[in-house]
C-alpha cells in the first residue's frame, strides 16, 4: 500500500504547472474590484444537513467494478480515519498481470476533493485497502455529512506503469443521501464568469496556512467538459510573486480551493501586509489541454 503517493504527485504537478508567467504580448484588460475581501471567518461555507447526526453514514456492500478480470467491491465507510473518511474496498485481481489501483477525479456531495489510495495487487491475489477522502478539502467545503462519493479508478501495470484500465465515473451513495440538504454560501467577489464557469473570491486567509497566504476561491463548472483552473502573472503590492493553483473541476461539479501566495517570494520582497493583488486565470480542458480562456488581468484591493 502506498498511501500518500497521490498527494505527493499532486503537489509536484501543481508546482510544475502553476507558473507565474504567460506568453509575451498577451492582451489583457484590467478589472479593478474595490470591494474589501471578507475576513477569515467569511471563508468558511455554511451547510444545513438532515437530522441524521454526522458520523452515522453507512454504505451498502456493492460491486463497483467488474471488468477485465478486476473486481472492486465497496465494503463499508469509516469516517474516523486519520486523514479523512475512508471507503473500505476489496480488490480482486484475476488478470495475468501485477496491477496497481489508484483513484482519479473524486468528489463528495458535488465538491471536488483530493484522495489517497495506491494499492498493489499481484495477479491472482486479493487486497483490502481504503480510499481516503481528504479531511482538509471536505472541511473547506463545509461538508459534515457524506451523502454521495464519485470517482474513477485508474489501474496500471505495477512494473511498467502501462495503463490497464480507466473506469467510468462511479457513484456510491450513503445512507444519508436521500435526506441530505447541503447549502453552500456561494457569494463572494466575482472574478470570472463565462463559458459556463464561475469563479468567486471567498476571502484571503493569512493565518494557519502552510506555504503562504491563500485566496480562497469558489469554482463552479456548468460546462460540458472537465476543466482545470490555474493562475498566471501574480503580483502583490506591485511585486511579482510565486503563486500556486491548479484545480480540476468535472462538469456539473464545484470546488473550493486556495490560491497560495508563496511565503518565500513575499519575504524576498519584504511584504508583510497585502494591500493589492493582480493575476489572471488560465483555464483549459483537463483532457486535451486545449485552452478555454486566458482571462483579463484581475485586480483586487485588500482593505
Amino acid at each position: 500500500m502506498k498511501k500518500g503517493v497521490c498527494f505527493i504527485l499532486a503537489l509536484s504537478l501543481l508546482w510544475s504547472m502553476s507558473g507565474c508567467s504567460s506568453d509575451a504580448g498577451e492582451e489583457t484588460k484590467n478589472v479593478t474590484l474595490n470591494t474589501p475581501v471578507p475576513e477569515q471567518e467569511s471563508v468558511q461555507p455554511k451547510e444545513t444537513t438532515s437530522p441524521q447526526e454526522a458520523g452515522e453514514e453507512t454504505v451498502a456492500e456493492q460491486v463497483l467494478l467488474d471488468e477485465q478480470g478486476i473486481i472492486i467491491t465497496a465494503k463499508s465507510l469509516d469516517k474516523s480515519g486519520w486523514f479523512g473518511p475512508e471507503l473500505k474496498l476489496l480488490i480482486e485481481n484475476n488478470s495475468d498481470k501485477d496491477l496497481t489501483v489508484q483513484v482519479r477525479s473524486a468528489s463528495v456531495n458535488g465538491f471536488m476533493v483530493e484522495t489517497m489510495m495506491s494499492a498493489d495487487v499481484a495477479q491472482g491475489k486479493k487486497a483490502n485497502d481504503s480510499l481516503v477522502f481528504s479531511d482538509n478539502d471536505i472541511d473547506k467545503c463545509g461538508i459534515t455529512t457524506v451523502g454521495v462519493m464519485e470517482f474513477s479508478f485508474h489501474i496500471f501495470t505495477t512494473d511498467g506503469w502501462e495503463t490497464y484500465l480507466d473506469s467510468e465515473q462511479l457513484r456510491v451513495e450513503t445512507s444519508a443521501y436521500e435526506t441530505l440538504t447541503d447549502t453552500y454560501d456561494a457569494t463572494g467577489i466575482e472574478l470570472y464568469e463565462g463559458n459556463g464557469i464561475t469563479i468567486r473570491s471567498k476571502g484571503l486567509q493569512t493565518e494557519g496556512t502552510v506555504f503562504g497566504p491563500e485566496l480562497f476561491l469558489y469554482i463552479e463548472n456548468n460546462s460540458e467538459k472537465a476543466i482545470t483552473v490555474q493562475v498566471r502573472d501574480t503580483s502583490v503590492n506591485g511585486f511579482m510573486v510565486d503563486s500556486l493553483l491548479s484545480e480540476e473541476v468535472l462538469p456539473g461539479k464545484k470546488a473550493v480551493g486556495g490560491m497560495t501566495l508563496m511565503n518565500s517570494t513575499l519575504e524576498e520582497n519584504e511584504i508583510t501586509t497585502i494591500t493589492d493583488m493582480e493575476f489572471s486565470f488560465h483555464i483549459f480542458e483537463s483532457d486535451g489541454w486545449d485552452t478555454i480562456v486566458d482571462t483579463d488581468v484581475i485586480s483586487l484591493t485588500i482593505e
Side-chain angles (χ1 to χ4, degrees):
M1 190 167 62
K2 297 179 288 188
K3 294 180 180 177
V5 171
C6 294
F7 273 159
I8 295 172
L9 291 177
L11 182 59
S12 299
L13 178 62
L14 294 184
W15 189 272
S16 63
M17 294 176 64
S18 301
C20 295
S21 63
S22 61
D23 294 338
E26 179 183 285
E27 296 183 4
T28 60
K29 179 180 179 181
N30 289 321
V31 179
T32 302
L33 302 174
N34 292 316
T35 306
V37 175
E39 298 295 330
Q40 181 174 345
E41 57 265 22
S42 299
V43 172
Q44 298 301 323
K46 300 176 181 178
E47 180 194 59
T48 58
T49 65
S50 68
Q52 181 170 358
E53 295 181 2
E56 293 183 355
E57 306 96 293
T58 59
V59 298
E61 183 171 324
Q62 56 197 281
V63 175
L64 302 178
L65 181 70
D66 187 353
E67 294 183 37
Q68 299 184 38
I70 305 300
I71 303 174
I72 302 179
T73 304
K75 303 290 288 185
S76 63
L77 178 66
D78 179 8
K79 286 194 67 181
S80 63
W82 186 261
F83 295 105
E86 297 183 2
L87 184 62
K88 303 294 186 179
L89 302 175
L90 171 63
I91 305 169
E92 303 176 60
N93 181 5
N94 298 315
S95 75
D96 59 357
K97 300 178 184 296
D98 297 338
L99 299 174
T100 298
V101 180
Q102 295 182 354
V103 163
R104 298 287 186 270
S105 304
S107 66
V108 173
N109 297 3
F111 283 87
M112 305 299 296
V113 300
E114 292 290 342
T115 58
M116 287 190 293
M117 177 181 161
S118 190
D120 294 340
V121 189
Q123 55 183 301
K125 303 299 181 182
K126 303 177 184 179
N128 285 298
D129 212 306
S130 297
L131 169 55
V132 182
F133 296 87
S134 167
D135 246 348
N136 184 49
D137 285 351
I138 287 176
D139 289 345
K140 285 180 182 178
C141 298
I143 297 171
T144 57
T145 302
V146 177
V148 58
M149 299 162 282
E150 296 176 275
F151 50 88
S152 62
F153 288 113
H154 174 58
I155 305 173
F156 54 91
T157 57
T158 303
D159 293 334
W161 289 36
E162 296 178 355
T163 298
Y164 181 79
L165 172 65
D166 283 315
S167 78
E168 63 181 3
Q169 198 75 2
L170 304 170
R171 181 183 178 93
V172 179
E173 297 177 0
T174 76
S175 57
Y177 176 71
E178 293 297 332
T179 55
L180 181 71
T181 302
D182 287 341
T183 302
Y184 182 82
D185 179 9
T187 60
I189 298 175
E190 185 174 293
L191 304 181
Y192 174 75
E193 177 96 42
N195 297 288
I197 303 162
T198 300
I199 305 176
R200 295 190 180 101
S201 165
K202 297 295 293 180
L204 182 68
Q205 181 170 335
T206 57
E207 302 295 332
T209 58
V210 178
F211 297 108
E214 292 187 6
L215 181 67
F216 273 81
L217 302 173
Y218 169 80
I219 306 171
E220 186 170 334
N221 179 15
N222 293 313
S223 74
E224 298 180 352
K225 298 180 178 179
I227 66 168
T228 299
V229 180
Q230 295 183 351
V231 66
R232 297 287 188 269
D233 297 321
T234 304
S235 67
V236 172
N237 300 358
F239 290 90
M240 301 303 294
V241 301
D242 294 333
S243 58
L244 194 64
L245 172 71
S246 192
E247 287 286 340
E248 180 184 7
V249 190
L250 295 185
K253 303 301 181 186
K254 303 176 283 289
V256 178
M259 184 181 108
T260 302
L261 306 173
M262 302 302 293
N263 270 332
S264 56
T265 50
L266 292 177
E267 292 170 358
E268 287 173 2
N269 292 292
E270 300 181 347
I271 297 173
T272 56
T273 302
I274 298 174
T275 60
D276 61 82
M277 299 169 54
E278 287 190 349
F279 53 88
S280 61
F281 291 118
H282 174 58
I283 306 174
F284 59 92
E285 296 178 12
S286 300
D287 293 335
W289 290 33
D290 291 337
T291 298
I292 297 174
V293 65
D294 285 305
T295 71
D296 294 329
V297 172
I298 298 164
S299 178
L300 276 178
T301 300
I302 314 298
E303 298 181 353

